[in-house]
Amino acid sequence: MALALSGGGDSMALLRIASDWARLRGRRLVAITVDHGLNPDSPAWSRLCQDAAREAGADWIERRWEETKPATGLTAAARAARHGLIAEAAREVGARVVLFAHTADDIAESDWMRGQPMGEGGSTLGRLREWSPSPAWPEGRGLMLLRPMLDARRDDLRAWLRENGQVWIEDPANADERFGRSRARARLADGPRSEDGERPDPSSVSGRCSFAGAEPLSLGEGFAVARSVRATELAAVLLCASGRSEPVRRDRLERLAQRLSSGEVFTAALSGARIEAGRDRIIIGREAGEFRRRPVAEVALEPGVAAVWDNRFEIMTAEPGWTVGAAAGRLNRLSPADRAILKPVPEAMRAALPVLIRDGGGDPLLAGRPVLAWRKAEVRALAPRRLALFLDASTGETTQEADLERTIHGEMPPPDLFSHD
């Protein structure tokens, strides 16, 4: 198991608890620290984390955010970078679960931020859940986050650390009210409260919800969705269909959900996804027209090495010389057999599927001619598993590491789909 270790009081408390648990059960624990490079003391903070991890008997990894820092939206960019770096490190060591030290106070702060107008500390962040997929994509594919301390209070954890002689870091950014999270912390300084003034019950704020239905299509190109879909689940479908990880704007999301529930027939695009709302069914898939605005790079495949393309498909071939790219601009060059396979796919979404292009070093009859990726490679659609894990986590269906190994409907096409010439 991996553990996100910032050096703050919450993560230091979780390190002590998790290391005892891992020792008793013979599990390897790896602590991962991200140096954002935003404070001159961050190297010293990393050393403190390293010493604490080793003292607790855990391995330790450091990752650094070395990209150019944005002039605006720094906290969101830092959060995305942190999740991405932690996910990459966790996958490298073979971890499937990453522990995070969020508490009841973090839930209350997130709720406060969501209640504020955008631009005044408002946030589109989802509600913190005890068990949820990694928000990093595609780095976090197959990784789940476990937050075992959502019923704990921040002050209680620090009191326990003091009793045990454990030091921790107090990041001055936590008191800088230029940031929404810091303003929320200042407003809730007396402790998390619900609207009636009571402390929240962690079981009631963990974000359980029901889903109106999303069925993966045959090639994993999108989903058939019920009109009763709620905005929260609709956001997940849009992100999974488009391969993105940026939150969907709340106002646009709510308008789309209202149009769907009203029974309106329409076509729209949002967050890189295409929505085709017909009379009988709703299809949400990748918006192929987005490729012109945000081109997707072609990926040269190495034999036996899985590569991710467009954040939606994992592709591995045994033959050298193949490159994967979009079917856009190549559909009329596909073989009649390939075009027959694509007939059930919504016409506007065919161009967003992966095809393989041969370089000049192979069979001259195939050089430059595209073929559907499934013909020459093992192709796994990532969107169905991503959505299934999100929905199962939100409803409490997926609660064990073993659940991550089960087959997800829609990951692979039906076995006979490509069996004919």
Side-chain angles (χ1 to χ4, degrees):
M1 298 185 75
L3 182 149
L5 182 63
S6 68
D10 300 341
S11 68
M12 285 295 204
L14 182 56
L15 173 66
R16 294 178 69 99
I17 296 168
S19 61
D20 288 344
W21 179 91
R23 189 179 305 110
L24 288 171
R25 289 159 179 78
R27 292 287 296 269
R28 180 189 176 197
L29 181 67
V30 180
I32 304 170
T33 299
V34 175
D35 181 351
H36 294 87
L38 298 174
N39 188 293
D41 291 331
S42 60
W45 295 348
S46 288
R47 288 194 296 274
L48 177 66
C49 291
Q50 180 183 32
D51 293 343
R54 290 179 175 172
E55 182 180 352
D59 294 329
W60 182 76
I61 297 174
E62 182 188 39
R63 289 290 185 267
R64 296 179 181 177
W65 185 29
E66 296 178 332
E67 298 177 7
T68 302
K69 309 303 186 286
T72 59
L74 180 61
T75 52
R79 180 175 59 253
R82 177 168 62 254
H83 275 292
L85 291 167
I86 288 173
E88 287 179 347
R91 285 175 62 87
E92 286 176 10
V93 299
R96 300 297 301 274
V97 177
V98 184
L99 303 176
F100 276 77
H102 294 104
T103 66
D105 298 76
D106 291 296
I107 292 176
E109 290 160 8
S110 295
D111 287 347
W112 183 90
M113 292 167 68
R114 276 197 306 275
Q116 305 306 303
M118 298 304 294
E120 298 179 21
S123 171
T124 58
L125 292 175
R127 190 180 292 273
L128 289 174
R129 297 184 176 90
E130 184 178 51
W131 180 248
S132 63
S134 167
W137 193 260
E139 303 93 335
R141 61 191 187 279
L143 279 176
M144 297 295 287
L145 309 186
L146 177 62
R147 302 177 177 93
M149 301 199 303
L150 290 182
D151 59 347
R153 293 290 303 277
R154 189 176 290 144
D155 289 345
D156 294 338
L157 292 174
R158 281 156 174 72
W160 179 71
L161 290 175
R162 291 189 193 95
E163 292 173 3
N164 287 274
Q166 176 68 60
V167 297
W168 65 89
I169 297 161
E170 289 291 355
D171 187 345
N174 291 334
D176 189 339
E177 294 201 17
R178 290 178 299 172
F179 305 123
R181 174 71 63 176
S182 301
R183 289 197 294 277
R185 185 169 297 191
R187 302 301 182 272
L188 299 171
D190 293 334
R193 298 288 187 271
S194 61
E195 291 182 359
D196 59 6
E198 298 297 323
R199 281 180 57 186
D201 175 3
S203 65
S204 68
V205 295
S206 60
R208 289 181 177 270
C209 58
S210 60
F211 185 56
E215 186 74 13
L217 301 181
S218 59
L219 295 179
E221 71 272 21
F223 302 92
V225 181
R227 281 195 176 272
S228 54
V229 60
R230 291 173 14 173
T232 303
E233 292 82 13
L234 180 58
V237 175
L238 292 170
L239 292 181
C240 293
S242 67
R244 290 192 183 179
S245 56
E246 307 93 337
V248 185
R249 276 187 50 171
R250 185 168 55 199
D251 54 346
R252 295 180 180 178
L253 181 66
E254 291 173 349
R255 283 199 298 270
L256 177 59
Q258 290 171 359
R259 294 182 71 185
L260 293 176
S261 63
S262 72
E264 179 184 352
V265 175
F266 65 94
T267 298
L270 179 60
S271 194
R274 179 182 180 86
I275 303 96
E276 295 186 355
R279 295 186 183 281
D280 300 325
R281 68 173 186 168
I282 299 165
I283 300 298
I284 298 179
R286 183 74 158 99
E287 172 53 71
E290 186 80 0
F291 290 169
R292 293 190 294 272
R293 295 182 289 273
R294 298 173 62 166
V296 176
E298 297 182 350
V299 178
L301 300 177
E302 297 181 28
V305 178
V308 174
W309 177 78
D310 195 32
N311 293 347
R312 297 181 299 127
F313 294 95
E314 191 172 69
I315 302 172
M316 182 170 66
T317 180
E319 302 176 3
W322 290 108
T323 295
V324 60
R330 300 181 171 111
L331 288 170
N332 61 353
R333 297 169 57 203
L334 292 174
S335 69
D338 280 357
R339 290 199 293 271
I341 290 171
L342 291 182
K343 280 187 177 180
V345 176
E347 186 174 357
M349 297 175 189
R350 296 172 189 170
L353 290 174
V355 297
L356 299 186
I357 308 98
R358 193 82 156 181
D359 64 21
D363 186 335
L365 296 178
L366 293 176
R369 180 177 180 177
V371 296
L372 281 178
W374 291 265
R375 289 283 195 187
K376 296 290 183 178
E378 293 182 18
V379 181
R380 184 164 69 100
L382 299 176
R385 177 171 290 271
R386 184 184 185 190
L387 182 62
L389 291 178
F390 172 85
L391 298 176
D392 287 353
S394 69
T395 57
E397 295 292 330
T398 302
T399 59
Q400 303 290 334
E401 287 176 272
D403 294 331
L404 302 178
E405 303 294 341
R406 77 187 194 280
T407 300
I408 298 292
H409 174 61
E411 277 187 302
M412 309 293 285
D416 60 346
L417 192 60
F418 294 90
S419 60
H420 60 282
D421 292 330

